Amino acid sequence: MKKLLALILALCMVFALCACGKAAPAAPTTLTMGTGGESGTYYAVGSVLGNYISPKIGVTINVVASGGSAKNLTGMCVDKIYDLATVQSDVMTFAFNGTNSFAETGKLDSFRVLCGLYAETVQIVSVDPSIKSVADLKGKTVCVGDVGSGTAFSAVDILGIYGMTIDDITPVYQSFGASTESLRDGKIDAAFTTAGAPTPSIVDLATTNTVNLISIDDDHLAKLLDACPWYAAYTIPAGTYKGQDADAVTVTVKATLICRADLDDDVAYKIVSTIFNNTGDLAAQNAKCAEFSLEFATEGIAVPFAAGAAKFFSENGITVATAP
Ligand code: GLU
């Protein structure tokens, strides 16, 4: 009888060990989130999200500054330094499909969407009132965002609609903060800034200078929306920045929160549910969070969602695509 018990015990231990061996990897305790430059909206909103979500889900989200969308995608899919990131919806779609500038590097598809966050506005900023149209940028020194930014993609699209390439300007690659200093010092004539408005760097510029936001005219806007359907028309209302007395017409893309494809499903679920179950608290900390909605989070997104995010949206009556 004793021998039988010992045998049963031994078998139980073997089964227990096998089960341990096959157990799912432990959920992460720390996640790193790539955002954008410190004077941008990604960093500001990302910091609010990280600080708010971390204690609620028991996972520390470290929010770090970065060059922006393309840098975040390579940081996540190639260098494996980011678990979470904010990216432009257009740039992530190019990366996922290996199109546009990702045609050379090859597709980066080891990431999934958690949710769309808010509209990012393509803002063409100058302090020179003689620059009245995008056409006036020809021959000028223009910041097109940081190296690896999504802003650089917007700049190429908009110059292209006006029959220009990057070679028709003298391009400068700088963070939003650095480009604000360059505008102030007269080192550059204009700067593209694709970011949620009001953007901290432009708010800062407006404290010392009259900000001239350059509009895209109706004719070119129609052509842009036709050629690049990932944009939506948008008017930056007068008064968004100190001293801005006229509306500016431009386009938006969608700031999107993504995660690496193998992020634990339960953690993905908790991140998304914490955001959308607490939009009031988040909006109190950053005005961009007041734009968060289940519809905006899920509409027009061309990259598969993380299964944990899809579970949350499905519980709220919205079906989103996941990877097969
Ligand atoms: N959308 C920008 C980019 O990827 C960054 C925006 C921001 O930092 O708020 O270049």
Side-chain angles (χ1 to χ4, degrees), residues 35-37 39-43 67-70 72 86-88 91 118 120 145-146 148-152 176 194-196 199 253:
T35 59
S39 303
T41 313
Y42 282 179
Y43 187 74
S69 298
N72 290 343
T86 40
V87 291
Q88 289 179 206
V91 180
Y118 59 84
E120 284 194 85
D146 210 341
S149 69
T151 300
F176 298 153
T194 303
T199 310
V253 287

Side-chain angles (χ1 to χ4, degrees), residues 151-187:
T151 300
F153 286 75
S154 318
V156 167
D157 288 342
I158 288 163
L159 291 172
I161 283 300
Y162 280 82
M164 288 184 268
T165 70
I166 210 89
D167 297 331
D168 289 300
I169 58 168
T170 302
V172 171
Y173 294 85
Q174 286 185 318
S175 70
F176 298 153
S179 70
T180 295
E181 290 313 316
S182 296
L183 284 167
R184 267 192 189 121
D185 298 345
K187 290 186 178 147

Side-chain angles (χ1 to χ4, degrees), residues 11 28 44 71 92 114 117 119 144 150 152 160 168 171 180 183 205 213 221 225 251 268 270 275 287-288 297 302:
L11 279 174
K71 266 269 163 69
M92 77 170 181
L114 288 174
L117 292 172
V144 293
D168 289 300
T180 295
L183 284 167
L205 182 65
L213 286 176
L221 179 65
L225 297 177
V251 288
K270 284 179 179 156
I275 293 174
K288 290 320 280 181

